[in-house]
């Protein structure tokens, strides 16, 4: 698969790859879309490719024409791992977003693109072989960069108004059992207070404050606006996937509190 990006120089002192960063990498597909990293790696971000097939995604991640995007690794459905950008370089995978009050997420993260058609082209469960490869690669990365479990997150967590990946079918619980990411058992759906877009008041302010503590880029305004609904949706995709609707129901609120208590 390394021929998908042929024609680009292999990185050397200017940031090009001399070889894979991980022994799990099967081939290199160097992307020209990267620049200097300004700070140490503290986040590992999971994406899905959201394209019809893996080769189309790989070509896109190596395309020098706008919009220029890339990632550090692509994990195919059969478990094959391809590296596109050296870890010491800032790949252009996360775009505009924030986490724990800081933007330029790309500057402090490594991005893994997991081949899956995504919500646009037929979202489906991730194959066991693929998830096994993702877990092995992620464990290798977090060990080398000392990334804490709380630093393993999804693309939609950093950009909730723009992104849905890796989505509600991604097995976050499995990863957390292997030391990758935070997880608490989702509180079952139940009757109780719930809040939705258009409402305002102290309970909304409290909800927004809790979501901000969890890391989300939400303003504490006391108004359940479109941004708040998008952030609640992203939280549900990751931590309470049984119902993803942007409504802060009792289950969502309790799961959020449990997550914060477990940090």
């Amino acid at each position: 698969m390394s021929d998908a990006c042929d024609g680009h120089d292999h990185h050397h002192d200017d940031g090009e790859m001399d070889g894979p960063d991980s022994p799990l990498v099967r081939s290199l597909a160097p992307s020209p879309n990267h620049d200097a990293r300004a700070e140490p790696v503290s986040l590992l971000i999971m994406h899905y490719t959201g394209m019809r097939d893996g080769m189309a995604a790989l070509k896109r991640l190596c395309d020098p024409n706008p919009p220029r995007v890339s990632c550090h690794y692509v994990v195919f459905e059969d478990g094959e791992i391809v590296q596109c950008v050296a870890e010491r370089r800032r790949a252009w995978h996360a775009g505009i977003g924030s986490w724990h009050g800081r933007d330029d997420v790309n500057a402090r993260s490594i991005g893994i693109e997991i081949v899956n058609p995504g919500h646009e082209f037929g979202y489906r469960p991730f194959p066991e072989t693929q998830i096994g490869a993702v877990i092995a690669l992620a464990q290798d990365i977090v060990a080398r960069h000392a990334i804490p479990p709380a630093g393993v997150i999804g693309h939609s967590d950093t950009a909730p108004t723009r992104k849905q990946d890796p989505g509600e079918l991604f097995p976050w619980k499995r990863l957390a059992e292997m030391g990758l990411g935070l997880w608490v058992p989702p509180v079952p759906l139940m009757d109780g207070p719930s809040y939705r877009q258009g409402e305002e008041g102290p309970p909304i302010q409290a909800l927004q404050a809790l979501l901000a503590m969890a890391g989300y880029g939400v303003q504490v305004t006391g108004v359940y606006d479109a941004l708040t609904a998008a952030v609640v949706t992203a939280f549900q995709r990751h931590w309470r996937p049984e119902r993803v609707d942007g409504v802060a129901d009792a289950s969502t609120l309790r799961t959020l509190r449990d997550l914060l208590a477990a940090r």
Side-chain angles (χ1 to χ4, degrees), residues 19-169:
D21 284 307
S22 170
L24 299 168
V25 169
R26 190 129 123 245
S27 58
L28 301 178
S31 171
N33 304 328
H34 56 83
D35 53 16
R37 198 188 272 294
E39 52 186 304
V41 172
S42 59
L43 296 174
L44 176 58
I45 299 179
M46 302 291 176
H47 306 252
Y48 64 42
T49 50
M51 295 183 69
R52 293 188 190 279
D53 63 67
M55 288 309 296
L58 193 61
K59 287 186 189 305
R60 170 81 188 280
L61 292 162
C62 297
D63 189 343
N65 301 301
R68 296 178 66 183
V69 295
S70 62
C71 66
H72 294 92
Y73 298 98
V74 180
V75 181
F76 283 79
E77 288 171 315
D78 65 358
E80 179 175 355
I81 299 170
V82 177
Q83 184 166 3
C84 298
V85 174
E87 289 181 9
R88 69 180 183 278
R89 300 289 289 176
R90 176 181 174 273
W92 304 340
H93 60 98
I96 297 168
S98 71
W99 191 246
H100 280 294
R102 298 170 59 202
D103 52 15
D104 195 2
V105 177
N106 284 335
R108 55 197 171 106
S109 66
I110 287 174
I112 298 178
E113 288 275 1
I114 303 160
V115 172
N116 187 293
H119 291 82
E120 188 176 351
F121 295 112
Y123 190 43
R124 57 184 182 233
F126 298 83
E128 186 64 34
T129 303
Q130 185 179 39
I131 291 303
V134 169
I135 287 172
L137 175 61
Q139 287 180 316
D140 180 47
I141 292 167
V142 302
R144 283 185 285 104
H145 294 275
I147 299 171
V152 182
I153 56 174
H155 193 191
S156 59
D157 294 318
T158 71
T161 60
R162 299 188 302 112
K163 297 295 178 178
Q164 304 177 72
D165 57 315
E168 62 277 6
L169 297 179

